[in-house]
Amino acid sequence: MAIKNLLPLAFLALANYSTMIMAQGSDCAPGGTFDLSKWKLQLPIGSNGSPDSVSASDLQGCDGYKSEYFFTSLDDGSLVMKVPGSTATSACVTTPNSEHCRTELREDSPSKWSPSDPTNRLFGDLIVKQIKDDRVVVGQIHIDGSISTKPVCELYYSSKGDLTMGVNRCRTCGQNTFKIGHIPVGQRFTYEIRYESNTLSVSINGQDFQKLDTFDLGSPDSYFKAGNYNQGDCPTEVHFFGIRVSH
């Protein structure tokens, strides 16, 4: 199993996990505290249909990218991702294939992988600090862009604390939604999404994995995303204490 790390830079030599963020507390840019070398950042600002993105190299170091939408919290040391609302309520912009704004990390190394591989896992440790309406996607698997503009699945967290997973029925279809759990707003929790050996599953707070039907998707090449993909009109704020990806 190949391991890829996202750890505070001072602890990289000790890492046994892949792609992990751990809170350290810093007034630097997130790249001064966290190794963001395997990700690129997608933002809710830029021009309509062409939001800004930040490469892994530009995220690195204490002088790397930071903004009001992407920063390290001085209060809890977490990696904070904020979205100001929707296009109807703010000046945020969306990607060409979405109506919703996001501040989200997109896996970039590897840029894609096969669901038939034995290990493809995304772990998140987080708090949804601000959500007043609708839902926010805190983790997802997306189909490779050469195949489809659709996600494989999206993990939704609602303003009532409900966790659901939307799974696309095919590469051009809409989603079926599965109930996953409930976490009160403002309470810290963990999730792990796996799409390996052609099986999609999810676990909340280390509980048993729930296997999910992938219908007619046919195991397309995919990649992970994690962050704050706002589905509503009000501002949302998500604090990540840990992110880990394993292949």
Side-chain angles (χ1 to χ4, degrees):
M1 180 174 66
I3 301 295
K4 294 182 172 59
N5 288 304
L6 182 48
L7 278 167
L9 301 180
F11 292 89
L12 284 176
L14 302 177
N16 292 319
Y17 298 105
S18 67
T19 315
M20 193 172 194
I21 297 177
M22 298 291 285
Q24 297 297 306
S26 172
D27 58 358
C28 293
T33 308
F34 308 116
D35 176 19
L36 301 174
S37 61
K38 306 301 180 183
W39 302 85
K40 68 179 179 181
L41 177 66
Q42 298 175 310
L43 290 162
I45 56 176
S47 58
N48 189 31
S50 183
D52 291 344
S53 63
V54 184
S55 68
S57 60
D58 288 336
L59 291 172
Q60 301 308 299
C62 197
D63 296 326
Y65 177 83
K66 65 179 179 180
S67 71
E68 62 183 302
Y69 304 115
F70 182 79
F71 58 93
T72 306
S73 171
L74 290 174
D75 295 327
D76 59 22
S78 62
L79 178 62
V80 182
M81 288 181 261
K82 299 180 70 173
V83 175
S86 68
T87 55
T89 59
S90 74
C92 71
V93 298
T94 69
T95 59
N97 298 304
S98 175
E99 299 177 354
H100 307 294
C101 302
R102 74 185 81 206
T103 302
E104 193 175 38
L105 291 169
R106 190 265 199 219
E107 189 178 19
D108 198 39
S109 181
S111 61
K112 63 180 179 180
W113 38 262
S114 171
S116 64
D117 293 340
T119 305
N120 298 305
R121 302 176 181 181
L122 170 64
F123 171 89
D125 178 358
L126 67 152
I127 296 175
V128 179
K129 287 260 185 166
Q130 182 181 19
I131 182 169
K132 293 183 178 180
D133 71 331
D134 213 276
R135 304 179 293 179
V136 58
V137 175
V138 295
Q140 64 170 298
I141 301 172
H142 203 284
I143 300 173
D144 180 64
S146 65
I147 300 172
S148 173
T149 62
K150 297 287 188 179
V152 170
C153 64
E154 295 174 302
L155 181 61
Y156 298 97
Y157 182 87
S158 80
S159 58
K160 296 180 179 179
D162 294 324
L163 282 160
T164 56
M165 183 76 92
V167 181
N168 275 60
R169 297 184 299 275
C170 73
R171 300 178 188 190
T172 58
C173 300
Q175 295 182 343
N176 277 22
T177 302
F178 300 87
K179 293 181 180 179
I180 303 300
H182 178 85
I183 303 293
V185 174
Q187 181 174 310
R188 184 171 170 176
F189 68 97
T190 67
Y191 69 75
E192 185 169 341
I193 302 170
R194 298 181 178 182
Y195 195 19
E196 55 193 32
S197 301
N198 295 317
T199 298
L200 177 65
S201 62
V202 60
S203 168
I204 303 299
N205 285 338
Q207 297 175 356
D208 291 342
F209 277 85
Q210 179 178 343
K211 293 183 179 180
L212 304 173
D213 194 344
T214 52
F215 307 101
D216 297 318
L217 278 171
S219 299
D221 285 350
S222 303
Y223 56 86
F224 287 119
K225 303 183 78 174
N228 180 349
Y229 183 22
N230 191 347
Q231 306 293 292
D233 290 326
C234 295
T236 49
E237 181 175 327
V238 181
H239 290 222
F240 276 89
F241 298 90
I243 298 176
R244 176 169 81 238
V245 171
S246 305
H247 294 295

